[in-house]
Structure formats: C-alpha cells, structure tokens
Amino acid sequence: MKVRKRLISNLKEAKKAVELVGTSKEVQDSMAEKTIFCVLEIEKIPSPAANIIKQIAISRGTDAIVHKDVVSNKIENSTVLLPGTIRELKLISEELKKQPFGLKILSEEISKVLSEFEISKSDFLIMGVLNVTPDSFSDGGDYFGEVEARERFYEMIKEGADIIDIGAESSRPGSKRITVEEELNRLYKLFPLIEESPVPISIDTYKGEVAEAALSKGASIVNDISALRMDKKMVDVVRSYDSKVVLMHMKGTPETMQVDPYYEDVIEEIKEFFKERIDFCLSHGIKEDKIILDPGIGFGKRLIDNLMILSHLEEFTSYGFPLLVGASRKSFIGKITGEDFPKNRLDGSIATAVYSYLKGVSILRVHDVKETKNALSVIKAIKENRKND
C-alpha cells in the first residue's frame, strides 16, 4: 500500500482522476465534485442570514465560520468563511435559493465562483509587447520605426504570441503624457497589421479616441492602465465594440506613481479597487466575459508591494475573471538581481512568469515571447504528467 498527495485544481482534472480509478460513468461527475475542497469568503452578511448559512452548512456535513456575536444577534454583519467540497457547496447554494435576507442572490454569486472550477488552469496565453514609442523603459525605442515595428510584430507571431499588445505612449515611471493626435500618428503605420493580424490585438491606451481607432481596425482588447478612469468616454467605446478590457490597478499616474507610494495593505486595496471597477463595468453594460484583471506590477508599487502581490495572486484569481500579470523586465526584478539594464532581466522575468502561471494567472504580458512560452510549455508538460501519474 502507498499513500501520496494528489493535487486537483479543477473539475477537468477531477473527472480524469475518478475515471482512472474506475468509477462508473453514472457517478463520475458527482464524485469529481467531491474531490475538490475550497473555502468561500463571503463579506457583510447580516447576522440572521449568517445563522441560516451556518445551519445549512452543518446539515450538509460541513460548517460555516462566523463572528462570535452572530448567534446572539449582537452584531449587524459578519464575514462568513464557508469551507467544503464543490459538491457540498453546490448543495448549500441550492438550499440558499429558498431562504430570505437576500440569500437567493448570494446563491447566484456562489454559483459564479464555483463555475471557475469548470475551467482548467493549465492553459496560458502569451501577450507579446510591442511598444512603438521612442522612450519605452524596456527597449528604448527599438520599434519606434515602421520597419522595425513590422518586423517585431511578425517575429512575435512566429515565436508563438497568442495576443499582441500594441502601445504608442510610454507609461514608464516619470513619463510625460502625449496628445491623442501624437498617439494616433504613431499607431497609423500599424493599422494594416492590426487588420490582417492572425492573432488578437490589444491596444494599450487609456484614451477612448485611440482605443476606438484601433478597435475599428480589428483590435479586440483594450488594455487600459487607468481601468477606464482617465477618459470617461472609454467605457462607452468598450461597450459599443463589445471588446475585452483589461482593468489594471495603478496608484497615481505614470508621472507620479513611483514618488513614495505607500499602502497599509496592498492586497486589500487592490481587491477593493477591483470590486469597484468590476461593478462599474457591469453597471455600464460591459459583459462579465469581457473583463480581465491586472494587479499592476510596478505601477505605484514598491519592491515589497510587488512581491506581496505575486505571492498572493490567488486573492485576485478568486474573482473568477482571467488574471493578467505584466512583470516582464521591470525594475523590481533588477533590484533583486542587481541588473540595471532591462534587457538583462530575462531570467528574472521568466521566473516571475512561471510562478504567476503556477498561481493561476492565465495571461502573461511579456517582451521575450519565445523564451517565456518555452519555459511555460515545459512547466505545463510537467503538470500534465503529474496529473496522469
């Protein structure tokens, strides 16, 4: 006899595991749901509702952790920690549909979170960076010229980029803003590439007019460092083109963001930011399946903040939206490795990408497409082999 730990992170893996055991097909789905355990954190639940959740959880073989004063009703609201297998949580969710105090709505929210487990986290997308700026921190204007930009565009496709993110305004710390006219002037030369691109194109801009110009040529993603805050027209542009949108957290502006940034709790601040921005998008007609989150590595962050974000990425994947991380070549890597020149930070960039992928990140925004994709492909193969072990 031999006992070993098996890591199962989604229902696709779970179904494969129970199938290999030889479980009958009739019960494979329900057995798979019993193999994955998670804890749901539910905020601001009224005490009477928290009591109901606790009683239902107990009846389903688990429990709910609530504030000590919930039972006596001495507290208005409580955070609830609800642990259980996917099967148990689904049954609890069904029971909540029949309950008062807004628990029917909570049931729907729980179902959305649980649906994340239907998606395999073993897949990743590589977003290649193409800066057509004269002052990019990473490549110093290498692709500012039309010929160079075209060559790099097709080179990244050949290297395996799944998405190409085109930006015509630098957002490096201390960079100055440029006009809409200047940004569009830099982009015009690439419009034919956007129209004929075999991979999705992301436009890296916070200006609605620039985004609309790129979307009208075939771009399908808006990568907005301000998360739709710097141009009030942007949300209408995203909605009207039904494009995907990357909501990135940034403290301050590119000019000021690295001037003594400070957080009491960087994780909680970003979580609150995401909640507000997600609500904003949904209330303005942007569909859930169009939203991508980005915690904004290096945008108004100290070294300790960037490391904290990376080590707690699961806090952001728990929202159920795709998570994008863009840490490639950034200065925090140089502070760790001692490499001042961005192009010499390849090894640190790959290490960050691999770690992010293992933590559930699905989109990696990188400058070194081939090297990063190769590294992640090896990690993915190892993970797949471990599942079948």
Side-chain angles (χ1 to χ4, degrees), residues 223-227 229 246-252 257 261-263 265-274 277 292-301 305-306 309 316 324 330:
N223 185 8
D224 185 346
I225 61 171
S226 78
R229 293 177 298 159
V246 180
L247 304 176
M248 194 193 79
H249 176 272
M250 173 175 62
K251 192 161 193 172
M257 63 188 183
Y262 177 78
Y263 300 85
D265 187 328
V266 66
I267 303 301
E268 286 303 315
E269 185 166 325
I270 295 174
K271 286 172 68 176
E272 288 299 318
F273 174 85
F274 281 155
R277 288 288 87 192
I292 300 167
L293 304 180
D294 178 355
I297 297 292
F299 282 81
K301 315 291 193 308
D305 300 322
N306 291 317
I309 291 167
F316 312 122
L324 180 153
K330 290 195 171 173

Side-chain angles (χ1 to χ4, degrees), residues 1 68 83 118 123 126 213 252 254 291 314 359 366 371 375:
M1 290 185 290
K68 59 183 175 62
E118 298 284 352
D123 297 323
I126 297 294
I291 296 173
E314 68 280 359
K359 297 280 279 187
V366 303
E371 295 84 352

Side-chain angles (χ1 to χ4, degrees), residues 65-185:
I65 296 88
V66 301
H67 191 280
K68 59 183 175 62
D69 291 330
V70 158
V71 176
S72 60
N73 212 26
K74 293 180 180 179
I75 189 171
E76 184 177 353
N77 296 310
S78 172
T79 294
V80 176
L81 296 180
L82 184 58
T85 64
I86 301 302
R87 181 64 176 166
E88 289 167 344
L89 295 173
K90 281 188 173 182
L91 292 172
I92 292 170
S93 179
E94 286 298 312
E95 289 293 325
L96 292 177
K97 288 180 181 178
K98 311 169 189 176
Q99 304 300 324
F101 305 110
L103 290 175
K104 181 178 180 181
I105 297 174
L106 175 62
S107 170
E108 295 170 356
E109 292 300 312
I110 290 175
S111 295
K112 288 179 185 177
V113 174
L114 295 181
S115 67
E116 181 186 356
F117 289 93
E118 298 284 352
I119 304 170
S120 172
K121 291 184 180 178
S122 62
D123 297 323
F124 60 86
L125 297 174
I126 297 294
M127 176 185 275
V129 179
L130 181 58
N131 292 316
V132 289
T133 63
D135 55 347
S136 168
F137 91 93
S138 61
D139 47 48
D142 288 352
Y143 311 115
F144 187 54
E146 182 176 353
V147 173
E148 292 80 4
R150 283 176 168 271
E151 288 178 351
R152 182 56 183 154
F153 182 90
Y154 287 112
E155 182 180 33
M156 285 195 291
I157 291 175
K158 185 177 180 181
E159 291 176 344
D162 302 294
I163 305 166
I164 294 181
D165 188 44
I166 300 175
E169 179 177 6
S170 176
S171 56
R172 62 180 174 78
S175 58
K176 301 297 183 182
R177 302 305 89 212
I178 62 174
T179 64
V180 169
E181 291 72 24
E182 175 62 22
E183 191 170 349
L184 285 172
N185 186 53

Side-chain angles (χ1 to χ4, degrees), residues 20 55 173 183 209 217 309 335 340:
L20 290 174
Q55 293 307 313
E183 191 170 349
E209 189 174 338
K217 296 300 180 180
I309 291 167
K335 289 177 182 177
D340 293 330

Side-chain angles (χ1 to χ4, degrees), residues 194 199-203 214-215 218-222 241-245:
I194 295 175
V199 301
I201 297 297
S202 167
I203 179 66
L215 292 170
S220 57
I221 305 169
V222 173
Y241 280 87
D242 198 28
S243 72
K244 292 185 181 293
V245 61

